[in-house]
DNA sequence: AATAACCTAGCACGGATGTGCTAGAAAGAG
DNA sequence: CTCTTTCTAGCACATCCGTGCTAGGTTATT
């Protein structure tokens, strides 16, 4: 028998390499060769774990989705257990802040999210995964608003979803203008305007 | 002397070809060969008007900026001449709506904008032009808010700018969910919440 | 120690890309 | 008609890409 290697762990390692390449040089540059080099593997090794270049990118996007989902779900539990209204508002703020590039880790994730999401427009094999990610975020925002008793959930869900996406985009593309402090202030203002009516 | 050809007009024609390719297949596919084929020219002809592949893309982005600017400026004049408050609100709505993919033409423009803007993150030669485009939009939004007497212009400018960008992104990437009607409703709601306080 | 299974490495092919050059076509000026 | 300048077309080269294959290495079990 061969050297025992957890194949799923390997796949995740390769996905990490994809993320680093995408972050530094863009999704175009996430070729098998570049990713293999970044992962410290031979191109043949990468292809042993992924049948296809497409499958590699698809897996990376799903990996990103999983990670985001896990992080957000932890906050959901915390938000539900909030007692005072102030505590609850703060919990919602933190929860939605997980979707913004507020610190280096989340900034990395947002950069990767933006690259994959926009690429999915013309790369049809990425569309289903990108779609699931978007819908997940959308229903999350919808639930948060509904549970907070905000009326007119349809329009407000779209408004908050698009605001968060726009903040993430500008936080990634123009970090000197859309700084973490600015993003937090905008999010706080928006939430306040929702509860005040 | 040769066949007289207005070189600027030719450059703009080629830029149009770039737009069509980007819209259909993404910025990655806007190679000299693909663009030349789309424009019905030989690759050598395209290179006669553009020294570089970089220069071609840069020119296309600047062309997009010019076009957008021209369209928006027309609305600015109209908004300034509004008399009643109702008329003014509607003018502002139309003005900002020019930045959203509300009809096929603007949808095309938004798709191209998104492709170039996000590509500028890793393609350094596109950054200056993308930056100017973003700042132009930002000061426009700032002026609109200031002239409408909205307080706290800093945060509100960022909030509305990011909302518009987010709507454009989702209008392009998820047109079945973020439909023109939804975008209009969101924009209207946001503007209303600003003037009511 | 021998075997069999898994993993790694890499060659080879066809295709695409940007760019440097060169040859020729088109058409107003003399 | 002829010259001269502008424009068009396209070849050639080095580089990178995804993928089909194959050969070699590594190691737990027998």
């Amino acid at each position: 028998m061969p050297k025992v290697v957890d194949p799923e762990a390997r796949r995740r390692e390769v996905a990490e390499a994809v993320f680093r390449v995408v972050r530094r040089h863009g999704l175009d540059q996430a070729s098998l060769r570049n990713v293999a080099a970044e992962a410290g593997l031979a191109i043949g090794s990468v292809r042993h774990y992924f049948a296809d270049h497409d499958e590699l990118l698809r897996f990376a996007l799903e990996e990103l989705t999983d990670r985001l989902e896990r992080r957000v779900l932890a906050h959901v539990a915390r938000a539900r257990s909030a007692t005072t209204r102030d505590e609850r508002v703060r919990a919602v703020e933190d929860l939605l802040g997980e979707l913004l590039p507020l610190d280096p880790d989340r900034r990395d994730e947002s950069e990767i999210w933006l690259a994959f999401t926009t690429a999915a427009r013309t790369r049809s094999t990425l569309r289903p995964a990108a779609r699931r990610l978007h819908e997940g975020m959308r229903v999350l925002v919808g639930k948060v608003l509904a549970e907070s008793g905000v009326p007119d959930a349809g329009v407000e869900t779209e408004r908050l979803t698009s605001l968060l996406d726009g903040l993430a985009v500008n936080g990634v593309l123009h970090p000197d203008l859309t700084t973490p402090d600015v993003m937090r202030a905008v999010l706080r203002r928006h939430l306040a305007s929702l509860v005040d009516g």
Side-chain angles (χ1 to χ4, degrees), chain A residues 78-79 81-94:
Chain A
R78 202 158 70 75
S81 71
T83 53
T84 75
R85 195 175 116 142
D86 224 47
E87 203 179 351
R88 184 181 169 74
V89 168
R90 199 180 317 257
V92 167
E93 219 176 283
D94 289 350

Side-chain angles (χ1 to χ4, degrees), chain A residues 21-32:
Chain A
V21 172
V22 168
R23 196 150 30 84
R24 269 205 301 275
H25 301 114
L27 195 60
D28 321 345
Q29 298 300 316
S31 64
L32 285 181

Side-chain angles (χ1 to χ4, degrees), chain A residues 96 136-148 150 153 156-158 160-161:
Chain A
L96 297 179
M137 174 185 174
R138 185 180 280 266
V139 308
L140 172 73
V141 169
K143 277 186 188 166
V144 166
L145 290 181
E147 291 182 14
S148 301
V150 172
E156 291 300 355
T157 297
E158 180 66 41
L160 182 47
T161 300

Side-chain angles (χ1 to χ4, degrees), chain A residues 115-135:
Chain A
F116 274 94
T117 297
T118 55
R121 187 180 73 85
T122 47
R123 299 203 191 200
S124 56
T125 59
L126 292 179
R127 282 202 65 80
R131 178 68 176 204
R132 280 196 299 274
L133 178 50
H134 177 73
E135 281 178 349

